[in-house]
Amino acid sequence: MIQRLGPKLKALSAVTLAAWAALSACDRARLTGSLTVRYLDQGAFEIYKIASEQPLQFVSETSSKFNERITLTPGSYMVLADCSSEVVNIYPGSDITLVAHRVNFLPLQPPNEQDKFSIQCVRSERTRSRQNLMNRFSLAILSGTRDLLVGMIPLRLDLTATGAVIPESRVVSHVLSYISVSASGKAPFDDFFVSPVGGVTPYTENQHPGAKLFLLHGKYDLQLNGTDMTVDLAEGESRTVIPGTLTVTTSPGADLARAERVRGAPLFAEINGEHYMNLNTTYPVLPGTLDVRLATSLRQQKFEVSEGEHLRIHARNVTVDLGCISNDWACLGSKKIRLFEKDKNYHFAESQTDMPILFFEKNVTIGIEGSRNIKLSLTSADDQKVKVGFLEVTPTPIHKPGILTDLMRVEPQSSGLIGASLDMVLDKSTIMPLLAGQYHLAQYTFITSDGSRRKTSQSIYISPGQRVKIDVQTFLSEKRMAIINGDTSENSSRQ
């Protein structure tokens, strides 16, 4: 940056001052030069005398007016105008003329106090000085090729001198466009953001709702609360976007506070994979396609919102009650819950017991960890609660020639319950959580003499919060029984 020498370096010696005072006016005129910076209007520029090139230092500075001839002692000077600079060498008797050109950026509507127009530029490469001009619509720029960043878009100005002996100051004009996002009374917001499409450098500008952001023509991305849209601005185009609003609602019966306690974090909705929003809160959004995901969901759902539209998306909820006592945090939320679309094997949501699970989908079934192939079809109600009990099966394995138990599992019998449990281990205890209801404990036995397979079943009712214990007899091969009898550690229970 520009550095100034101290007073001692600027002070002339007494001898030099006396010699200069002894010179006549004519003699002094012959020992100086002059500089004029021509411009179409009034205004001022800066000029610095260079005291040293390496390192770059300046001995003095002054502010001078355009179109006025100034007298300078011999030496090198740096002239600074808007977004431009020029080094001139002054010799005795020299008369140098520079030209500044007026560069206008023309808004087709008068700007208001809240409106914004920005220009960034390098004023001088040698001093590495930059300018960040705000709401300056007319600049005085010295001749040459100058690079500006006008509202995030690079603009190269060719202001090189023509073939004239004394080039004329000229006017270069660029018509501005503007973009604005109107304020939403239902859902006020702080700022919207704009960035150029395909820009090499990721510049972004922010602006207040209802205020104009003046820009050069081109394609721009708008962003607001995680939503975005692309606007292709023609030269001089005025574009005001009217936002829509989005609310993800839940029923009053959904205990969101309990979910936060069990989960350790609040439930939320996510827009376009990057912006979290509170439930039952209205947000302004840009028109277009929205990808919305609930906190417990593994996938997004697409929704369309138009300009000015109020989109309300309602989430139903279900809670699986594991029967834990209050504040038993080792029990609360200890089992995973999965939601499925009907007739689909892969779940779309995953959460925990003892808290509401939110979902948008219809025709939903629910399963609990430990009996994952048994599912309950949910109703269309907003709030649903499902209770859980436990089944403990303790097999007594024996060997009986010609008879083998090859499968034992739990099969639901109550209306709304579908599927079957995984195969149970035939020689170890199994404790299985089950959605409350009527079941059969089914055994499938293979008869070696005729190759037939027979099914026997025992009816079981699983009550909420209760554990049902059943002892069963299973038939194993002689070889397997020998292994069991030789290693009693194999009889450890399985949860």
Side-chain angles (χ1 to χ4, degrees):
M1 296 301 293
I2 294 175
Q3 303 177 40
R4 304 176 189 173
L5 297 180
K8 291 183 179 180
L9 293 178
K10 294 197 297 181
L12 297 174
S13 68
V15 175
T16 304
L17 288 172
W20 181 261
L23 294 173
S24 66
C26 291
D27 291 332
R28 287 197 297 268
R30 286 195 298 270
L31 294 176
T32 60
S34 64
L35 171 68
T36 304
V37 181
R38 302 180 63 184
Y39 185 53
L40 293 170
D41 205 345
Q42 297 179 351
F45 62 93
E46 298 170 41
I47 183 168
Y48 297 82
K49 186 170 185 180
I50 300 174
S52 168
E53 290 283 352
Q54 295 293 335
L56 185 62
Q57 292 182 323
F58 298 89
V59 69
S60 62
E61 65 175 283
T62 184
S63 178
S64 301
K65 295 181 179 180
F66 290 122
N67 305 310
E68 291 186 0
R69 186 171 178 269
I70 59 172
T71 301
L72 298 170
T73 58
S76 294
Y77 292 83
M78 178 173 285
V79 179
L80 295 171
D82 292 330
C83 296
S84 58
S85 64
E86 192 75 32
V87 174
V88 295
N89 295 313
I90 301 296
Y91 301 97
S94 62
D95 186 9
I96 296 177
T97 299
L98 299 180
V99 176
H101 306 276
R102 179 187 293 160
V103 179
N104 292 329
F105 297 95
L106 306 176
L108 297 186
Q109 290 193 15
N112 297 318
E113 184 179 350
Q114 292 293 316
D115 297 340
K116 183 189 290 187
F117 173 61
S118 67
I119 297 174
Q120 298 179 55
C121 59
V122 175
R123 200 178 191 194
S124 169
E125 291 287 355
R126 299 186 67 186
T127 62
R128 298 181 182 179
S129 60
R130 298 183 60 84
Q131 281 185 296
N132 190 355
L133 306 173
M134 190 63 62
N135 289 353
R136 284 274 306 277
F137 292 91
S138 183
L139 307 181
I141 302 179
L142 296 172
S143 294
T145 301
R146 310 296 180 183
D147 291 312
L148 285 67
L149 189 67
V150 180
M152 302 175 287
I153 296 293
L155 176 66
R156 172 160 288 188
L157 297 172
D158 186 1
L159 302 173
T160 52
T162 62
V165 176
I166 302 178
E168 294 295 325
S169 181
R170 54 195 172 100
V171 177
V172 176
S173 297
H174 293 270
V175 177
L176 294 176
S177 310
Y178 82 72
I179 194 162
S180 176
V181 177
S182 65
S184 173
K186 292 182 179 179
F189 59 96
D190 293 329
D191 280 335
F192 64 93
F193 298 87
V194 181
S195 56
V197 174
V200 176
T201 305
Y203 290 106
T204 300
E205 287 271 12
N206 65 301
Q207 181 57 301
H208 303 311
K212 295 184 282 290
L213 182 64
F214 289 102
L215 302 163
L216 294 176
H217 67 89
K219 282 189 177 182
Y220 295 89
D221 274 334
L222 271 68
Q223 293 187 340
L224 174 64
N225 286 331
T227 63
D228 63 281
M229 66 180 295
T230 299
V231 175
D232 192 353
L233 285 178
E235 186 176 67
E237 181 180 359
S238 302
R239 179 67 185 275
T240 298
V241 176
I242 302 172
T245 57
L246 171 66
T247 312
V248 177
T249 62
T250 63
S251 77
D255 192 346
L256 302 182
R258 180 180 178 86
E260 185 170 355
R261 291 194 301 272
V262 172
R263 187 170 179 263
L267 295 178
F268 58 85
E270 179 188 80
I271 303 178
N272 295 338
E274 61 181 20
H275 188 85
Y276 293 162
M277 58 183 290
N278 295 326
L279 301 169
N280 303 304
T281 304
T282 300
Y283 291 83
V285 293
L286 295 173
T289 301
L290 307 181
D291 290 324
V292 182
R293 184 184 71 86
L294 294 167
T296 53
S297 182
L298 303 178
R299 68 185 185 193
Q300 300 171 331
Q301 288 213 27
K302 291 187 179 297
F303 299 91
E304 294 287 334
V305 61
S306 304
E307 284 195 308
E309 178 188 1
H310 180 35
L311 177 63
R312 295 175 63 90
I313 311 172
H314 188 69
R316 295 189 292 150
N317 75 91
V318 58
T319 300
V320 177
D321 183 358
L322 198 59
C324 306
I325 63 174
S326 177
N327 297 325
D328 182 358
W329 300 109
C331 176
L332 291 166
S334 60
K335 293 291 183 182
K336 289 182 180 179
I337 299 299
R338 296 180 176 93
L339 300 184
F340 302 78
E341 286 187 287
K342 194 172 183 179
D343 300 326
K344 292 188 178 180
N345 294 325
Y346 191 76
H347 58 283
F348 67 83
E350 184 173 279
S351 187
Q352 299 156 259
T353 52
D354 308 299
M355 59 169 277
I357 308 164
L358 305 177
F359 58 96
F360 296 133
E361 288 78 1
K362 304 181 186 304
N363 299 321
V364 174
T365 61
I366 186 169
I368 184 170
E369 177 187 14
S371 58
R372 61 188 175 94
N373 283 349
I374 296 178
K375 302 167 190 172
L376 173 67
S377 296
L378 299 180
T379 70
S380 59
D382 265 1
D383 302 289
Q384 298 178 64
K385 180 168 281 192
V386 179
K387 295 185 177 294
V388 174
F390 292 85
L391 173 65
E392 182 177 355
V393 177
T394 303
T396 301
I398 63 171
H399 171 65
K400 189 172 184 179
I403 302 177
L404 291 173
T405 302
D406 63 349
L407 173 64
M408 182 169 63
R409 67 184 186 185
V410 176
E411 298 174 351
Q413 299 298 308
S414 292
S415 175
L417 287 169
I418 58 175
S421 74
L422 297 176
D423 299 352
M424 298 172 124
V425 180
L426 300 177
D427 57 357
K428 298 178 184 178
S429 293
T430 298
I431 299 175
M432 181 183 299
L434 291 170
L435 304 174
Q438 190 74 42
Y439 295 87
H440 280 165
L441 176 62
Q443 290 190 65
Y444 294 83
T445 304
F446 181 69
I447 309 298
T448 57
S449 60
D450 58 8
S452 62
R453 193 168 185 256
R454 300 175 186 175
K455 175 185 177 181
T456 59
S457 60
Q458 181 175 350
S459 183
I460 308 163
Y461 184 79
I462 301 297
S463 300
Q466 301 298 312
R467 177 177 294 196
V468 176
K469 296 183 179 182
I470 295 181
D471 295 324
V472 296
Q473 194 173 65
T474 56
F475 300 96
L476 304 184
S477 67
E478 185 177 5
K479 181 178 180 179
R480 189 165 177 185
M481 286 297 300
I483 294 173
I484 294 171
N485 292 331
D487 185 2
T488 57
S489 65
E490 290 285 335
N491 292 321
S492 60
S493 64
R494 171 176 168 269
Q495 296 294 319

